[in-house]
Amino acid sequence: IAGITQAPTSQILAAGRRMTLRCTQDMRHNAMYWYRQDLGLGLRLIHYSNTAGTTGKGEVPDGYSVSRANTDDFPLTLASAVPSQTSVYFCASSDSPLGTDTQYFGPGTRLTVL
Amino acid sequence: GENVEQHPSTLSVQEGDSAVIKCTYSDSASNYFPWYKQELGKRPQLIIDIRSNVGEKKDQRIAVTLNKTAKHFSLHITETQPEDSAVYFCAASIRSGGYQKVTFGTGTKLQVIP
């Protein structure tokens, strides 16, 4: 693995189903983030984690949960998917959460909820 | 909270001409301003960034300027090439509530006409 990866690449999901989007980085970055990207709205932060064992809510956290059991992995779970969660999801990481570090993005997961 | 406005939403230029994208931000405490380029179906990738103690930064054909007093920053691309065609996002970053809060603009779709 080189950098930051996400899985799956794309997914079509029935409303009400549970879904976990996976994110893994091998850069030993402390901070990780989940964004959703919707046309005309740019990138909006869902949840973040400053370091393993800690998580926090971003701008649009409702309907999503995250965990950070170790440095490398930061999964995003939709407990009961709804059509409004149709979006492209990007995971990102940065070396530190101090506010001036570059965030590096994964390749994204395109999720469609029907 | 922080609000980032980006203009224009679309921009078409002839190959070889310059392109300028402008962003404004609302929180004077923001101290890091990255610019991302996103090609169709790809992840956002950092192309240049500037910190609040710097007024201008250049990297080959790309430059960014920052006016802290007026709270605006701009991306300048000179001698544009077809491969510059993409969506460009500005962002303003601040350490807020214990995490790196990055607020993105809504994007500018740049088309370089050969």
Side-chain angles (χ1 to χ4, degrees):
Chain A
I1 297 177
I4 184 166
T5 60
Q6 293 181 235
T9 302
S10 64
Q11 183 74 44
I12 298 174
L13 189 67
R17 297 298 295 269
R18 180 184 180 89
M19 176 73 190
T20 295
L21 309 184
R22 300 184 298 279
C23 175
T24 299
Q25 53 102 1
D26 66 353
M27 297 178 284
R28 307 305 293 173
H29 282 174
N30 287 303
M32 297 186 75
Y33 314 84
W34 274 105
Y35 291 91
R36 59 177 289 172
Q37 184 175 37
D38 303 290
L39 193 63
L41 296 176
L43 289 146
R44 294 180 294 168
L45 182 67
I46 304 170
H47 284 288
Y48 67 92
S49 169
N50 284 344
T51 189
T54 69
T55 64
K57 294 180 179 180
E59 181 184 356
V60 288
D62 294 344
Y64 306 95
S65 64
V66 291
S67 62
R68 186 89 182 277
N70 56 61
T71 297
D72 298 345
D73 301 300
F74 190 43
L76 176 74
T77 297
L78 289 68
S80 179
V82 296
S84 61
Q85 292 178 310
T86 294
S87 187
V88 179
Y89 291 85
F90 287 99
C91 179
S93 70
S94 65
D95 191 24
S96 81
L98 296 180
T100 58
D101 276 3
T102 300
Q103 291 189 6
Y104 297 92
F105 286 83
T109 294
R110 182 175 295 276
L111 180 67
T112 303
V113 183
L114 301 176
Chain B
E2 176 69 283
N3 181 48
V4 176
E5 294 190 356
Q6 183 172 349
H7 299 281
S9 56
T10 60
L11 179 60
S12 292
V13 300
Q14 290 292 133
E15 181 178 359
D17 288 349
S18 295
V20 180
I21 301 170
K22 299 181 179 181
C23 291
T24 61
Y25 62 100
S26 61
D27 193 335
S28 58
S30 290
N31 58 358
Y32 174 61
F33 306 89
W35 285 87
Y36 287 86
K37 175 183 179 182
Q38 186 177 29
E39 297 176 351
L40 189 63
K42 300 291 183 61
R43 74 188 79 188
Q45 293 197 304
L46 181 79
I47 54 171
I48 195 167
D49 57 13
I50 191 167
R51 288 172 171 76
S52 60
N53 58 347
V54 176
E56 183 176 2
K57 183 177 179 180
K58 289 184 179 180
D59 183 3
Q60 300 182 337
R61 296 185 298 108
I62 294 173
V64 58
T65 59
L66 171 66
N67 183 326
K68 289 185 63 181
T69 302
K71 289 188 282 188
H72 67 71
F73 55 114
S74 300
L75 177 72
H76 304 252
I77 305 174
T78 59
E79 301 173 19
T80 53
Q81 302 168 2
E83 51 265 38
D84 293 330
S85 296
V87 178
Y88 292 81
F89 292 95
C90 64
S93 176
I94 183 176
R95 180 80 188 277
S96 174
Y99 74 100
Q100 180 185 8
K101 181 176 181 180
V102 181
T103 303
F104 289 84
T106 51
T108 296
K109 184 176 182 179
L110 174 64
Q111 181 184 19
V112 180
I113 303 167

